[in-house]
Amino acid sequence: MSGDFFSDVPARITYGGPDSSDPLAYAVYQPDREVLGKRMEDQLRIAVCLWHSFNWPGSDVFGVGTFDRPWLTAGVDVATASRAKLDAAFEFIDKLNVPFFTFHDRDVAPEGRTYAETSANLDASVDQIERHMARTGARLLWGTANLFTHPRYAAGAATNPDPEVFAYAAAQVKTMLEVTHRLRGENYVLWGGREGYETLLNTDLRQEEAQFARFLALVAEHKHRIGFKGTLLIEPKPQEPTKHQYDYDVAAVVGFLQRHDLASEYRLNLEANHATLAGHSFHHEVASAIALGAFGSIDVNRGDYQNGWDTDQFPNSVDELSLALYETLAAGGFTTGGFNFDAKLRRQSLSRTDLFHAHIAGIDTLARSLLVAADMVERRTLESARKARYAPWSGELGAAIQSGSVTLADLERRVASGEIDPRPRSGQQELLEGLVNRRIWAADRTRERATKKAE
Ligand code: XLS
Ligand code: CA
Ligand code: CA
């Protein structure tokens, strides 16, 4: 079965350049091209997710699956289905030529009739994953546990009113953290799933917050007990499936972590579509996580401007991603994180090859955004303007205020005496927007020059 699911696709997607007419080639992504002192592959650290791409049939709330995913057909036995799914997934990752993948426990092994059967299903799949990793060189960016599909989690996992559900979720996360450790995963992700509420009428907010904090403390404790050196990541999302999710956005999660003395144990996995659902730009969420010292990894995708749910479309905007990448690069880039394609095909994208088209276009968008961002970092396009804007804070007054050596009364005296009389300065927003656009447009010329040189 290995290696024959995507038979219309060549063994390896390679760089074809901006003028290539081959849709199964990269126009921009060149893994070995050096960008700010690192290979492009090492800057972007791209991952394929196994849920949307291999474990989702193309169903929606009105209709059943439309995709050609034989392992999801009713009646196929568990072992055969898991094997076929993993063979196809690793064929895909290998052909796409990206370094990482991500998965939930339930993406690779279904829930059995008993906990023991579920664990056996997972063990068998993890053995296969290990063999595929050895064969292809693919690495695990992060693992995670699905604490939202099974009916037991309808009222939440860690925040469930029933401590037995908390215990079940704890068992599941312990197992998956150990699996992630065994597969040398670089991070472990906790997305809140159903940690939130449908109605406040039956919800004790204080109690649920305490439960959630206890759960996260137990996970951190276990990480150290087993010697897992990867990063623990929390993934903010404001709503869906619940009306309100506790991990609403970067600011809410960092506040929660600080309240419970967990800030040194967790960083954040930011998803573009979750940022927009929260009413923020993705740029805002990335910049906030960096400013608060909590940046970890990224789930790259996009929402739809005309509707308000989590459409998880493939990213296609260089304008938007360049700014998020700029913040990331200016802060030193990823450490254990990367760009995980938490993105799904549209329901009508039926052909097996559509999965390649979607990823190739998304990866080229990221690669192009990386080049723009690197250019802006090198030219200090935004940095010089920001520095100049805050420069007065290094003067006598700014330093005195920040060090706490002046009181409100001192400040009032200086204002009243006429010594302080602020003159507003331009924020230069349009100038800066124009400068960013110039770098985006110039990336075409930079790319052309690089291509010409290579010829
Ligand atoms: C759902 C989340 C989920 C997490 C992993 O909206 O994006 O897929 O990334 O559980
Ligand atoms: Ca996600
Ligand atoms: Ca999403």
Side-chain angles (χ1 to χ4, degrees):
M1 185 83 195
S2 201
D4 57 8
F5 186 73
F6 297 101
S7 50
D8 293 342
V9 177
R12 178 84 5 137
I13 305 296
T14 55
Y15 176 68
D19 298 321
S20 168
S21 56
D22 180 2
L24 291 173
Y26 291 115
V28 193
Y29 184 62
Q30 285 174 282
D32 290 327
R33 177 167 175 184
E34 197 175 301
V35 183
L36 289 184
K38 273 191 200 166
R39 294 168 65 244
M40 196 180 248
E41 180 179 286
D42 300 329
Q43 287 283 16
L44 294 175
R45 296 169 58 85
I46 289 166
V48 166
C49 87
L50 296 201
W51 50 101
H52 288 325
S53 294
F54 293 92
N55 206 40
W56 175 61
S59 53
D60 68 13
V61 285
F62 291 99
V64 298
T66 52
F67 295 162
D68 178 15
R69 304 280 186 268
W71 50 86
L72 298 178
T73 316
V76 184
D77 77 272
V78 167
T80 313
S82 299
R83 204 176 322 110
K85 185 195 295 178
L86 289 172
D87 285 351
F90 282 91
E91 179 192 346
F92 181 80
I93 295 161
D94 196 33
K95 287 185 166 176
L96 197 63
N97 192 22
V98 296
F100 290 105
F101 67 101
T102 54
F103 71 107
H104 301 82
D105 45 5
R106 298 295 171 260
D107 298 330
V108 300
E111 188 124 2
R113 277 160 304 180
T114 60
Y115 186 75
E117 196 179 300
T118 305
S119 300
N121 287 344
L122 184 61
D123 283 348
S125 289
V126 172
D127 288 346
Q128 286 171 37
I129 291 175
E130 212 163 34
R131 282 195 290 274
H132 281 297
M133 288 171 76
R135 181 177 60 78
T136 60
R139 291 179 283 156
L140 179 61
L141 185 64
W142 47 263
T144 189
N146 177 331
L147 306 178
F148 43 90
T149 299
H150 195 280
R152 80 173 67 86
Y153 296 126
T159 60
N160 200 289
D162 180 354
E164 292 203 357
V165 177
F166 181 109
Y168 212 99
Q172 213 180 310
V173 170
K174 172 184 177 288
T175 304
M176 195 52 199
L177 187 58
E178 287 167 5
V179 163
T180 303
H181 185 36
R182 171 177 160 196
L183 297 177
R184 296 178 307 284
E186 305 210 4
N187 308 270
Y188 184 85
V189 165
L190 293 117
W191 168 51
R194 293 179 190 273
E195 312 296 17
Y197 62 79
E198 294 297 344
T199 172
L200 284 171
L201 299 180
N202 64 10
T203 302
D204 182 340
L205 287 175
R206 190 190 295 264
Q207 166 72 23
E208 294 205 358
E209 163 138 349
Q211 287 175 213
F212 205 5
R214 189 84 282 278
F215 192 87
L216 296 181
L218 286 170
V219 175
E221 222 173 272
H222 195 68
K223 163 190 158 159
H224 296 301
R225 186 165 303 144
I226 64 177
F228 177 60
K229 297 282 178 275
T231 311
L232 295 177
L233 297 170
I234 297 200
E235 181 174 326
K237 182 172 182 181
Q239 62 270 133
E240 199 220 61
T242 65
K243 171 183 162 58
H244 175 89
Q245 312 245 142
Y246 296 134
D247 293 335
Y248 198 92
D249 61 3
V250 167
V253 173
V254 171
F256 171 89
L257 292 172
Q258 287 172 350
R259 274 199 298 289
H260 297 283
D261 205 17
L262 290 164
S264 60
E265 295 288 3
Y266 287 88
R267 290 177 158 233
L268 303 182
N269 183 43
L270 307 172
E271 182 175 316
N273 202 168
H274 297 179
T276 46
L277 273 182
H280 301 306
S281 66
F282 182 47
H283 185 191
H284 167 94
E285 286 293 80
V286 171
S288 298
I290 289 168
L292 297 173
F295 178 74
S297 197
I298 288 179
D299 273 5
V300 67
N301 59 20
R302 77 176 203 272
D304 182 292
Y305 289 117
Q306 277 77 51
N307 62 27
W309 67 90
D310 195 17
T311 57
D312 286 343
Q313 287 166 250
F314 279 81
N316 69 353
S317 169
V318 172
D319 291 20
E320 285 171 14
L321 280 180
S322 295
L323 293 173
L325 258 153
Y326 168 76
E327 302 296 341
T328 312
L329 284 186
F334 288 122
T335 50
T336 60
F339 277 107
N340 173 45
F341 273 80
D342 191 351
K344 60 185 188 203
L345 293 172
R346 299 305 87 193
R347 191 163 176 264
Q348 296 175 59
S349 302
L350 305 168
S351 119
R352 294 179 183 185
T353 313
D354 283 325
L355 200 55
F356 277 92
H357 295 317
H359 281 84
I360 290 169
I363 290 169
D364 273 335
T365 303
L366 264 187
R368 174 80 190 280
S369 307
L370 174 75
L371 295 178
V372 173
D375 189 35
M376 289 199 293
V377 169
E378 272 170 343
R379 287 167 190 269
R380 304 176 54 79
T381 308
L382 298 176
E383 191 49 24
S384 334
R386 279 185 196 168
K387 275 247 155 64
R389 190 159 184 243
Y390 293 92
W393 280 94
S394 311
E396 179 273 326
L397 175 64
I401 294 172
Q402 277 190 314
S403 67
S405 63
V406 287
T407 63
L408 283 187
D410 296 331
L411 293 174
E412 196 219 5
R413 254 191 310 278
R414 291 175 67 173
V415 170
S417 74
E419 180 202 335
I420 291 176
D421 183 14
R423 306 260 176 241
R425 287 171 303 148
S426 170
Q428 301 185 309
Q429 180 170 339
E430 295 79 6
L431 168 73
L432 296 172
E433 286 170 349
L435 290 178
V436 169
N437 275 350
R438 285 188 194 191
R439 297 332 308 156
I440 291 173
W441 299 332
D444 276 332
R445 293 200 298 276
T446 320
R447 199 184 54 199
E448 271 161 27
R449 277 202 299 277
T451 319
K452 282 219 179 79
K453 242 197 229 157
E455 280 164 4

